[in-house]
């Protein structure tokens, strides 16, 4: 059975972008106090939260300091290292937990587990930059159609 947290509780949020900001604002309206853990200084969520700890997601000392300030931890986005959640859950409840995060970070596994099928063929190109006539084109996923000169991004 899950533990509930009454208004006045301290919620730790991993990630301090726009979604973290909106989460912190909504939580504050319900009486919760949010603490942000985000490497970037002056992140959007830090402006509307009780505290902001700026450190790397793998800094054990910083994570332990963060855990000592909060009653529960949640995520703003899925790109936090799984080992960060595994460490934090030893000290404070973490929702969603590391197993959920691990599945969400592996898209093929996510499709198999949630929908029971293998995703279609794709080519993942990590940060491939083409510099042509001062135009930067970033290719993340591409699918070549019948005409090899046509590419969907």
């Amino acid at each position: 059975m899950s533990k509930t947290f009454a208004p006045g509780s301290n919620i730790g949020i991993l990630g301090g972008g726009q979604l973290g900001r909106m989460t912190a604002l909504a939580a504050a309206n319900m009486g919760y106090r949010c603490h942000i853990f985000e490497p970037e200084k002056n992140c959007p969520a830090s402006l509307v939260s009780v505290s902001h700890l700026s450190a790397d997601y793998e800094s054990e000392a910083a994570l332990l300091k963060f855990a000592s300030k909060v009653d529960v931890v949640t995520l703003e986005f899925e790109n936090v290292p799984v080992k960060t959640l595994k460490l934090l859950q030893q000290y404070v409840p973490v929702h969603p937990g590391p197993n959920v995060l691990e599945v969400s970070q592996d898209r093929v596994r996510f499709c198999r587990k949630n929908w029971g099928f293998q995703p279609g063929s794709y080519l993942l190109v990590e940060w491939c930059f083409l510099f042509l006539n001062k135009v930067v084109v970033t290719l993340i996923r591409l699918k070549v159609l019948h005409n090899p000169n046509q590419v969907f991004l």
Side-chain angles (χ1 to χ4, degrees):
M1 189 165 156
S2 296
K3 180 180 178 183
T4 59
F5 299 92
S9 297
N10 292 288
I11 300 172
I13 302 175
L14 298 175
Q18 291 297 327
L19 184 56
R21 179 185 174 98
M22 291 185 285
T23 302
L25 285 169
N29 285 334
M30 294 185 283
Y32 294 92
R33 300 164 46 87
C34 290
H35 302 264
I36 306 300
F37 191 104
E38 162 67 45
E40 182 182 324
K41 295 181 187 322
N42 302 316
C43 63
S46 70
L47 304 174
V48 297
S49 300
V50 173
S51 72
H52 170 223
L53 203 157
S54 178
D56 187 87
Y57 287 118
E58 296 184 14
S59 170
E60 193 169 323
L63 289 167
L64 293 177
K65 181 178 179 182
F66 182 68
S68 73
K69 294 181 176 183
V70 300
D71 301 308
V72 62
V73 171
T74 192
L75 306 170
E76 178 208 27
F77 68 128
E78 75 277 6
N79 293 323
V80 175
V82 171
K83 69 181 184 178
T84 296
L85 270 63
K86 287 181 178 180
L87 174 70
L88 286 170
Q89 78 174 359
Q90 295 174 40
Y91 303 96
V92 65
V94 177
H95 300 286
N99 293 339
V100 173
L101 179 63
E102 197 167 39
V103 169
S104 74
Q105 289 178 347
D106 183 339
R107 302 297 187 231
V108 172
R109 184 174 168 206
F110 178 82
C111 288
R112 284 185 191 144
K113 181 176 172 69
N114 292 298
W115 299 311
F117 67 85
Q118 174 84 15
S121 298
Y122 66 91
L123 172 65
L124 180 60
V125 180
E126 296 183 44
W127 304 113
C128 177
F129 296 103
L130 302 174
F131 297 90
L132 302 171
N133 297 326
K134 297 185 181 181
V135 176
V136 178
V137 179
T138 305
L139 302 175
I140 296 174
R141 286 189 177 165
L142 61 94
K143 181 178 180 181
V144 179
L145 300 177
H146 297 293
N147 179 350
N149 295 325
Q150 284 184 305
V151 175
F152 279 119
L153 297 179

